[in-house]
Amino acid sequence: IASRCIFGLDEYDSGEIVINGTKCELSHPRDAIGVGIGLVPEDRRRDGFVPLMSVKENIVLPLLVSISRRGWIDSKLETDIASKFVSTFDIRTPTLTQKLRNLSGGNQQKVCLAKWLARKPSLLILDEPTRGIDVGAKAEIHKLIEQLAQQGMAILMISSELPEIIGVSDNIVVFHEGRITGRYSAAEATQEKLMLSATASRAAV
């Protein structure tokens, strides 16, 4: 999967990764994080968060080195950071110490977003960001994505939902069996065009 390759989780067969004009060798997630990349994975329950850890602990997880001194976490700073994102993203949780597994899918996904945004990435990869969440939470996630893009953050969204792609994206690239079969601006994209490209129809190539 492209997102895993870019984030240094899987090896890629060919090609190169260029960030801000610089070619990057990303063989491990720490390499990707080091150049400012964050990843909200497709399977959030398996890869996106630690279910038995609290909301607060999950949000600050990528920040542990920067909020720790001599091996001890600055608990006030940890609480301040988590509180900020719970408020900003309207994460519905009774307390910051609530185990993340006890929240709804939409709120779990907001925490997955928050933990990477706390690092202020230059590129945020969102792999199927609204899969398995209700309509209301989906609209909230879309609004957050739009706000982040307006603030200048580069967002690479991978989605199999055509209305989501058309409604959120500025530019769309369609792949079929590892090959680019279509490129569209938001203004020219339609579900029919995307489907033709996704199935590698002769009419789309």
Side-chain angles (χ1 to χ4, degrees):
I1 298 175
S3 63
R4 293 178 58 87
C5 291
I6 296 172
F7 199 63
L9 288 166
D10 294 336
E11 293 184 9
Y12 48 93
D13 297 324
S14 62
E16 59 185 26
I17 299 172
V18 179
I19 304 292
N20 293 325
T22 302
K23 183 179 177 180
C24 301
E25 297 292 338
L26 307 179
S27 58
H28 191 278
R30 64 171 168 266
D31 300 328
I33 293 170
V35 296
I37 301 175
L39 169 65
V40 177
E42 178 179 0
D43 190 337
R44 64 175 175 274
R45 290 183 176 85
R46 187 187 68 184
D47 303 320
F49 62 85
V50 184
L52 292 177
M53 291 178 72
S54 69
V55 171
K56 175 172 63 175
E57 290 168 330
N58 270 281
I59 289 176
V60 302
L61 198 55
L63 299 172
L64 288 181
V65 172
S66 60
I67 66 171
S68 300
R69 298 290 182 274
R70 297 179 181 177
W72 293 91
I73 296 173
D74 185 330
S75 58
K76 182 180 183 306
L77 186 54
E78 178 187 32
T79 298
D80 288 346
I81 292 170
S83 296
K84 171 188 172 184
F85 282 98
V86 165
S87 175
T88 301
F89 287 4
D90 191 23
I91 298 170
R92 298 178 180 93
T93 177
T95 66
L96 293 177
T97 56
Q98 176 72 279
K99 286 183 171 55
L100 193 51
R101 69 176 183 179
N102 295 330
L103 300 192
S104 68
N107 285 298
Q108 290 173 351
Q109 190 71 330
K110 288 180 186 178
V111 170
C112 291
L113 279 164
K115 80 173 192 177
W116 288 113
L117 293 176
R119 286 192 61 91
K120 300 179 181 178
S122 55
L123 170 62
L124 181 63
I125 305 172
L126 305 177
D127 197 344
E128 300 289 354
T130 61
R131 175 173 290 176
I133 63 179
D134 62 45
V135 174
K138 188 173 292 190
E140 290 183 281
I141 297 294
H142 288 166
K143 184 178 179 181
L144 285 171
I145 293 172
E146 290 174 1
Q147 289 174 344
L148 293 169
Q150 289 170 0
Q151 292 166 10
M153 183 177 293
I155 297 175
L156 173 59
M157 184 181 75
I158 301 167
S159 177
S160 55
E161 297 189 26
L162 298 186
E164 176 171 74
I165 294 171
I166 295 171
V168 177
S169 305
D170 293 317
N171 296 285
I172 301 167
V173 179
V174 184
F175 286 80
H176 177 78
E177 296 182 350
R179 181 170 62 92
I180 294 176
T181 54
R183 295 176 184 267
Y184 306 95
S185 67
E188 64 185 350
T190 66
Q191 291 197 39
E192 181 181 11
K193 288 180 180 178
L194 298 186
M195 280 301 298
L196 288 171
S197 293
T199 55
S201 166
R202 290 178 182 274
V205 189

